[in-house]
């Protein structure tokens, strides 16, 4: 066998390897755009590309590793309650205009996610980390029964250590304290820091540890949620992680974000999501309904629907809710997101709305904490401008808020970015607010953020250096994979 024969054999093996990999991707039943992107990567760099696909590209939706997240008793309860609410929404007249105007979205989330609508709530909006942590710390110190926390990022910095000390003190005082942290997002947490909490009685669990050989099946699906539930009466959710950067900022400037404090019926939904996730990471079922779901008394009527999504759910319900809200907009759509890498459905909905005369404004950061995502986000700007969408670049620092406000009667504050990863791969949560007063408050802050931004002009954008457009084009090819 000469060198020519060896080359022929290697080429044949190479082609077989590529074809087999492509067949695996096609069999994986993923979005066609993502499938084509991965096929391109594997065809160009077959060995490395396939390793990247195994690490980051496999579709685990409804696969075995997430089956344990289902809790039969909770599922039956939510099924019963959501069916009743669907009947009420479709057959009753509501005095609250925002509920009547958003029946379709409410019904969608009840059907796809069993996201119960709660009416009696008091919601407080925070627009920075300092005020958020001041209230969180005050509420944590008041805890008497239990504290449940779930965070993507929990850093061992000044604020992280301060909150850890409060959790330790509360656990020693007999309060049940549970903490879920994501292994990738909270990579910097060391054993000593965690052991100190555990030794004091804090129950700490890591969401899907990334340790070889389980690395390949778990690194791509992260818990991006931010949840606090205290005594079943006070809850927090939104975009702010436990990290000092939300108070002090970074070299990019302030770290702007939005968070919510909730009292009332919506706490039950936050609690259900936490209890389900806790069962997944620990195997423990928290069944004491009287303890974990106490009655709440709030006189204010603020309709809230808590939606969650992830690779364990049958539907990408947060994306569906965004799509439904965007397509029914009549006056304006305001979106603030740190990363803009939408799927085709959301991108088309935004462009159609704008071309139909709806005032569509999208706020993204001028600087980003992720270079590749930054360039991929910029690759969509010209397409948006051509559809008459107003695009603003935030200059005061890094705007990490994930907010949508539509027609003054619908708003969403949560953890989901306007990107494919948030829609499909990560475990996310968002609070849908059917309240004009809160929506107008969010819109006022949005307009304030626009004052710290620059409006992108189409004619100026087209004159940017060619090297920029080339980089954006390459990044856009990877956008379905980011």
């Amino acid at each position: 066998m000469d060198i020519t024969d060896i080359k022929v054999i290697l080429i044949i093996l190479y082609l077989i390897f590529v074809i087999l990999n492509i067949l695996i991707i096609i069999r994986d039943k993923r979005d066609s755009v993502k499938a084509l992107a991965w096929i391109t990567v594997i065809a160009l760099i077959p060995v490395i590309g396939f390793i990247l696909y195994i690490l980051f590209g496999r579709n685990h939706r409804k696969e075995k590793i997430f089956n344990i997240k289902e809790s039969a008793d909770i599922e039956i309860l939510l099924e019963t309650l959501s069916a009743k609410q669907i009947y009420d929404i479709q057959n009753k007249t509501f005095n609250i205009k925002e509920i009547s105007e958003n029946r379709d979205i409410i019904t969608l989330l009840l059907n796809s996610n069993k996201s119960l609508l709660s009416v009696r709530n008091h919601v407080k909006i925070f627009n920075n980390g300092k005020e958020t942590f001041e209230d969180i710390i005050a509420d944590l110190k008041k805890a008497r029964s239990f504290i449940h926390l779930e965070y993507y990022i929990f850093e061992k910095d000044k604020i992280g250590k301060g909150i850890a000390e409060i959790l330790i003190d509360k656990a020693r005082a007999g309060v049940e304290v549970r903490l879920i942290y994501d292994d990738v997002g909270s990579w910097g947490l060391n054993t000593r820091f965690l052991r100190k909490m555990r030794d004091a009685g804090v129950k700490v669990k890591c969401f899907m540890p990334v340790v070889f050989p389980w690395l390949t099946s778990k690194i791509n699906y992260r818990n991006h949620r931010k949840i606090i539930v205290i005594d079943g009466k006070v809850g927090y959710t939104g975009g702010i992680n436990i990290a000092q950067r939300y108070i002090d900022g970074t070299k990019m400037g302030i770290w702007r974000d939005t968070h919510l404090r909730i009292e009332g019926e919506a706490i039950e939904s936050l609690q259900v999501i936490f209890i389900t996730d806790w069962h997944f990471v620990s195997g423990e079922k928290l069944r004491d309904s009287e303890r974990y779901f106490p009655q709440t008394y709030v006189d204010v009527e603020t309709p809230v629907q808590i939606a969650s999504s992830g690779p364990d759910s049958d539907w990408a319900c947060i994306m569906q809710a965004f799509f439904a809200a965007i397509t029914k907009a009549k006056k304006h759509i305001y979106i603030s997101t740190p990363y803009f890498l939408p799927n085709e459905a959301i991108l088309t909905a935004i462009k159609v709305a704008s071309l139909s005369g709806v005032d569509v404004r999208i706020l993204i950061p001028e600087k980003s904490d992720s270079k590749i995502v930054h360039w991929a986000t910029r690759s969509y700007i010209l397409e948006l401008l051509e559809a008459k969408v107003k695009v603003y670049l935030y200059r005061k620092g890094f705007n990490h808020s994930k907010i949508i406000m539509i027609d003054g009667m619908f708003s969403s504050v949560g953890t989901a970015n306007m990107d494919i990863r948030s829609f499909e791969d990560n475990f996310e949560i968002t609070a849908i607010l059917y309240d004009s007063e809160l929506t107008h408050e969010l819109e006022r802050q949005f307009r304030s953020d626009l004052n710290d931004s620059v409006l992108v002009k189409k004619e100026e954008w087209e004159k940017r250096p060619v090297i920029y457009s080339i980089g954006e084009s390459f990044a856009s090819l990877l956008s379905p994979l980011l």
Side-chain angles (χ1 to χ4, degrees):
M1 182 180 294
D2 58 22
I3 188 68
T4 302
D5 293 331
I6 294 175
K7 288 181 178 179
V8 171
I9 292 173
L10 290 175
I11 291 173
I12 292 173
L13 291 174
Y14 167 85
L15 292 174
I16 292 173
F17 185 77
V18 170
I19 292 171
L20 287 175
N21 293 340
I22 290 173
L23 290 175
I24 290 172
I25 295 174
I26 293 173
R27 183 178 178 273
D28 214 10
K29 297 180 181 179
R30 62 173 52 254
D31 177 82
S32 59
V33 175
K34 294 184 74 173
L36 288 172
W38 278 115
I39 289 171
T40 301
V41 170
I42 289 176
L44 294 176
I45 43 175
V47 178
I48 297 176
F50 185 69
I51 293 173
L52 291 173
Y53 170 71
I54 291 296
L55 288 174
F56 302 107
R58 293 189 64 195
N59 183 9
H60 288 282
R61 183 177 291 275
K62 294 187 290 184
E63 285 192 12
K64 186 176 180 180
I65 65 170
F66 297 122
N67 286 349
I68 194 174
K69 278 181 63 61
E70 298 178 0
S71 179
D73 48 354
I74 291 180
E75 283 288 312
I76 293 172
L77 175 61
L78 290 178
E79 186 75 44
T80 302
L81 293 175
S82 60
K84 182 181 183 302
Q85 282 203 344
I86 289 172
Y87 177 84
D88 290 342
I89 290 294
Q90 294 177 342
N91 294 279
K92 290 186 177 181
T93 301
F94 290 88
N95 294 326
I96 301 175
K97 180 181 179 181
E98 290 85 350
I99 292 180
S100 299
E101 292 290 332
N102 291 287
R103 288 175 188 264
D104 51 350
I105 299 175
I106 295 169
T107 303
L108 167 68
L109 288 172
L110 284 167
N111 275 316
S112 65
N113 190 234
K114 302 180 184 68
S115 301
L116 299 179
L117 174 68
S118 60
V119 175
R120 296 194 175 277
N121 299 286
H122 180 270
V123 180
K124 182 179 180 180
I125 298 172
F126 300 97
N127 294 302
N128 61 69
K130 183 177 181 297
E131 293 179 354
T132 303
F133 287 121
E134 286 175 352
D135 272 39
I136 287 176
I137 289 171
D139 285 329
L140 289 174
K141 289 180 177 180
K142 296 175 185 175
R144 294 292 179 265
S145 179
F146 66 85
I147 297 171
H148 291 162
L149 297 94
E150 181 172 349
Y151 275 90
Y152 176 62
I153 296 175
F154 193 121
E155 291 196 351
K156 184 191 169 186
D157 53 18
K158 183 178 178 181
I159 189 65
K161 290 178 180 177
I163 289 179
E165 287 298 326
I166 296 173
L167 300 182
I168 289 170
D169 291 342
K170 284 297 175 179
R172 286 174 176 166
V175 175
E176 285 186 12
V177 183
R178 294 177 177 87
L179 167 64
I180 302 172
Y181 69 92
D182 185 84
D183 197 37
V184 173
S186 303
W187 194 262
L189 291 185
N190 57 39
T191 304
R192 183 179 178 184
F193 182 78
L194 296 171
R195 186 189 300 122
K196 185 178 179 181
M197 284 194 285
R198 289 187 175 116
D199 288 346
V202 179
K203 297 180 180 180
V204 183
K205 293 296 179 180
C206 177
F207 188 88
M208 293 205 301
V210 180
V211 180
F212 191 83
W214 299 278
L215 171 69
T216 56
S217 64
K218 297 181 179 179
I219 196 171
N220 197 39
Y221 300 94
R222 306 318 314 167
N223 190 334
H224 200 227
R225 294 169 182 163
K226 294 93 178 169
I227 299 172
I228 297 179
V229 179
I230 301 169
D231 293 343
K233 298 178 180 179
V234 177
Y236 290 84
T237 193
I240 295 179
N241 290 286
I242 296 180
Q244 193 66 29
R245 76 189 75 154
Y246 291 91
I247 299 174
D248 297 339
T250 65
K251 61 182 179 181
M252 290 190 292
I254 66 168
W255 200 281
R256 183 47 197 98
D257 214 325
T258 307
H259 217 70
L260 301 178
R261 181 186 186 273
I262 303 173
E263 293 180 86
E265 298 169 346
I267 301 301
E268 292 188 358
S269 296
L270 292 177
Q271 184 77 304
V272 166
I273 294 167
F274 178 88
I275 286 176
T276 303
D277 289 346
W278 183 257
H279 176 229
F280 175 61
V281 298
S282 70
E284 179 185 10
K285 292 185 177 182
L286 305 180
R287 297 182 177 276
D288 189 345
S289 60
E290 187 174 334
R291 180 185 184 91
Y292 299 118
F293 296 93
Q295 287 188 337
T296 58
Y297 303 94
V298 174
D299 294 332
V300 182
E301 288 190 340
T302 305
V304 177
Q305 202 170 15
I306 304 293
S308 63
S309 67
D312 61 329
S313 56
D314 293 334
W315 303 97
C317 64
I318 292 179
M319 184 277 291
Q320 291 176 337
F322 290 173
F323 177 84
I326 291 168
T327 54
K328 68 177 290 183
K330 297 293 188 293
K331 299 176 182 177
H332 63 259
I333 300 169
Y334 299 155
I335 298 173
S336 179
T337 179
Y339 317 115
F340 186 81
L341 292 85
N343 59 14
E344 193 63 32
I346 293 294
L347 183 61
T348 300
I350 289 173
K351 292 191 294 184
V352 168
S354 179
L355 291 170
S356 300
V358 177
D359 178 15
V360 183
R361 305 186 186 205
I362 298 178
L363 177 64
I364 57 177
E366 185 175 53
K367 300 176 182 178
S368 178
D369 60 338
S370 173
K371 291 294 184 183
I372 183 68
V373 176
H374 171 69
W375 288 107
T377 293
R378 292 168 71 92
S379 71
Y380 290 92
I381 290 180
L382 182 58
E383 189 174 355
L384 293 170
L385 296 177
E386 290 175 340
K388 302 186 183 304
V389 175
K390 299 180 181 71
V391 179
Y392 295 81
L393 301 179
Y394 186 77
R395 286 183 162 179
K396 194 173 181 179
F398 182 60
N399 196 324
H400 193 250
S401 296
K402 308 133 180 31
I403 317 171
I404 298 179
M405 300 138 285
I406 295 177
D407 290 351
M409 290 193 297
F410 170 100
S411 53
S412 169
V413 178
T415 67
N417 300 302
M418 192 65 67
D419 63 15
I420 296 173
R421 179 165 296 280
S422 286
F423 294 156
E424 296 184 7
D425 296 336
N426 289 339
F427 293 87
E428 305 281 0
I429 185 171
T430 193
I432 307 292
L433 310 175
Y434 305 105
D435 183 82
S436 298
E437 185 176 337
L438 289 174
T439 301
H440 289 151
E441 183 178 344
L442 289 166
E443 289 176 347
R444 285 193 294 271
Q445 180 59 46
F446 180 82
R447 287 190 288 270
S448 177
D449 289 337
L450 295 187
N451 293 332
D452 295 319
S453 310
V454 58
L455 176 64
V456 181
K457 302 289 187 180
K458 182 173 179 290
E459 57 275 12
E460 295 176 3
W461 187 256
E462 290 176 327
K463 294 177 182 178
R464 70 195 186 286
V466 175
I467 190 65
Y468 288 4
S469 60
I470 293 174
E472 293 159 8
S473 297
F474 276 111
S476 68
L477 293 175
L478 298 175
S479 63
L481 316 181
L482 298 175

